[in-house]
Amino acid sequence: MTPAATATATATTAADASDLTATDPLGDPSSHRVLTGDRPTGPLHLGHYFGTLRNRVRLQDQGVEMFVLVADYQVITDRDIADRLAEHTENLVLDYLAAGLDPERATIFAHSAVPALNQLLLPFLSLVSVAELSRNPTVKDEIAHSSQAAVNGLMFTYPVHQAADILFCKADLVPVGQDQLPHLEVARTVARRFNERYPHADGRAVFPRPRALLSDAPMLPGTDGGKMSKSRGNAVALGADEDTTARIIRGAKTDADRRITYDPSARPEVSGLVLLAALCQERDPEAVAEEIGDGGAAALKRTVIESVNEHFRPLRARRAELATDRGHLRQVLRDGAERANAIADATLAEVREVMGAI
């Protein structure tokens, strides 16, 4: 497949109007290749679902060629050991399939199973300076929330590793939030510099210049009003049962004002709960807040609990059924790795050819 947006040696790297939003038309969806994924550090939560998962399923159903990465090697960027890695990897695949990703239409694979992808990191690192990596704002944020006693070298290089993730399959679209644009910019920089330094003999560029597919999903705060995160203990897992969901939501922070309103800047905790109910009900958050009115925090939490459990009941039923066959989850990863390896091997061979390494 030829990506729709082919890079040239003179392509610029600035984020510009070529980036797309989730509502922009894609033209021929089958002409696009998307790379997306997650680190297997724990169960996916409701923020992942509304922020990325349902959009991946939408793109898949439109006919976009999907590559979904289980970034197991990146687990050790901000922690000393990869704890329960195999279990978390299988559970990540379980969440993907329960949410609607179809392994017949989406290539689901793990970093560690695709050697050629990781080998691309070496030539790519030669194209980016230490200063460029150290001032990456997303890296700075990850360092601030790292659980390591000291920051390791992989933390600084993982934006380049992500560039390898994107470019090994020559993805032309990468779904990201605004906070992830600096990482995509690294991939654009790597693609441009590689194409300038190592073009094909006929002038063709090796790599496309990937574009952002910016999410239009509102940021779903955690139960403490901050960013929902697996590592911050403020999230409801996709696979949580209804009682656990209720317990977590009942413990969410609110405020002293009994009147429920939707005001994310002034009332982040209350507004996060209102937004969650609204997303589950597919309604406007202001309308949900108005309906609760003077019911206070108890009525708000009751509404959220009922909305979440109702919305996710079918997904959780699928997840429970899929969980009975762990062998199927491992087979999905094996099949995905076979497809990803064929593409990665071809890309690495092309890289070695233009670099004169063959």
Side-chain angles (χ1 to χ4, degrees):
M1 185 210 66
T2 301
T6 302
T8 66
T10 58
T12 62
T13 60
D16 57 30
S18 68
D19 289 335
L20 303 174
T21 67
T23 57
D24 288 332
L26 293 178
D28 177 10
S30 65
S31 70
H32 293 286
R33 181 174 280 181
V34 163
L35 186 285
T36 184
D38 304 276
R39 295 193 304 167
T41 56
L44 296 184
H45 52 65
L46 306 190
H48 290 119
Y49 177 80
F50 287 114
T52 61
L53 276 179
R54 66 175 182 173
N55 188 47
R56 294 174 191 176
V57 175
R58 179 184 66 83
L59 291 168
Q60 167 194 271
D61 292 346
Q62 287 179 345
V64 172
E65 188 176 10
M66 297 289 298
F67 284 76
V68 185
L69 169 67
V70 178
D72 52 353
Y73 274 164
Q74 288 180 5
V75 169
I76 51 176
T77 55
D78 61 351
R79 57 198 71 208
D80 294 322
I81 60 171
D83 184 42
R84 298 162 57 198
L85 186 57
E87 176 189 348
H88 288 325
T89 296
E90 287 184 15
N91 286 337
L92 195 57
V93 176
L94 184 55
D95 286 335
Y96 289 160
L97 301 186
L101 284 174
D102 179 358
E104 295 297 321
R105 294 181 289 165
T107 299
I108 302 171
F109 67 101
H111 259 156
S112 56
V114 188
L117 182 162
N118 296 289
Q119 193 172 335
L120 289 172
L121 178 62
L122 298 178
F124 286 179
L125 279 173
S126 73
L127 302 169
V128 183
S129 72
V130 172
E132 287 173 318
L133 293 175
S134 64
R135 63 174 176 257
N136 185 299
T138 311
V139 170
K140 290 180 179 179
D141 181 68
E142 292 289 346
I143 289 173
H145 293 96
S146 171
S147 61
Q148 291 178 313
V151 177
N152 65 35
L154 187 59
M155 175 66 80
F156 285 99
T157 61
Y158 92 89
V160 183
H161 202 180
Q162 288 186 323
D165 299 339
I166 296 165
L167 298 176
F168 97 93
C169 64
K170 302 189 179 182
D172 68 304
L173 291 177
V174 184
V176 292
Q178 288 286 345
D179 61 335
Q180 289 293 313
L181 280 175
H183 282 336
L184 183 59
E185 198 60 36
V186 173
R188 289 167 160 164
T189 297
V190 167
R192 177 179 61 84
R193 291 176 182 172
F194 189 93
N195 292 335
E196 288 174 345
R197 192 171 298 183
Y198 305 110
H200 280 286
D202 59 5
R204 286 181 298 113
V206 173
F207 293 110
R209 176 172 166 260
R211 296 185 292 169
L213 185 59
L214 293 166
S215 172
D216 62 349
M219 182 67 70
L220 184 62
T223 54
D224 58 359
K227 180 181 178 181
M228 188 175 286
S229 169
K230 289 181 284 188
S231 62
R232 299 178 191 180
N234 63 356
V236 177
L238 276 182
D241 60 37
E242 296 193 3
D243 289 342
T244 300
T245 298
R247 176 178 54 78
I248 294 172
I249 293 172
R250 287 194 191 104
K253 290 175 62 178
T254 53
D255 57 36
D257 189 346
R258 184 171 181 81
R259 178 74 182 177
I260 301 303
T261 59
Y262 182 67
D263 188 347
S265 59
R267 306 182 71 188
E269 297 93 351
V270 166
S271 296
L273 291 171
V274 171
L275 177 60
L276 177 53
L279 288 169
C280 290
Q281 296 179 23
E282 298 183 349
R283 296 175 62 199
D284 185 79
E286 284 85 359
V288 172
E290 180 66 27
E291 187 174 274
I292 298 169
D294 292 325
L300 170 61
K301 292 179 181 180
R302 185 167 56 251
T303 297
V304 176
I305 291 167
E306 292 171 355
S307 300
V308 169
N309 284 336
E310 177 67 24
H311 183 85
F312 287 97
R313 194 168 288 126
L315 182 152
R316 289 167 170 173
R318 288 195 301 273
R319 193 181 190 280
E321 181 179 357
L322 289 163
T324 63
D325 187 358
R326 309 296 290 195
H328 174 63
L329 305 178
R330 292 188 284 272
Q331 188 61 50
V332 167
L333 285 167
R334 284 193 292 269
D335 292 345
E338 183 177 355
R339 294 195 293 269
N341 270 300
I343 292 170
D345 289 345
T347 300
L348 181 60
E350 184 180 8
V351 164
R352 294 181 66 203
E353 179 181 2
V354 297
M355 292 182 70
I358 297 178

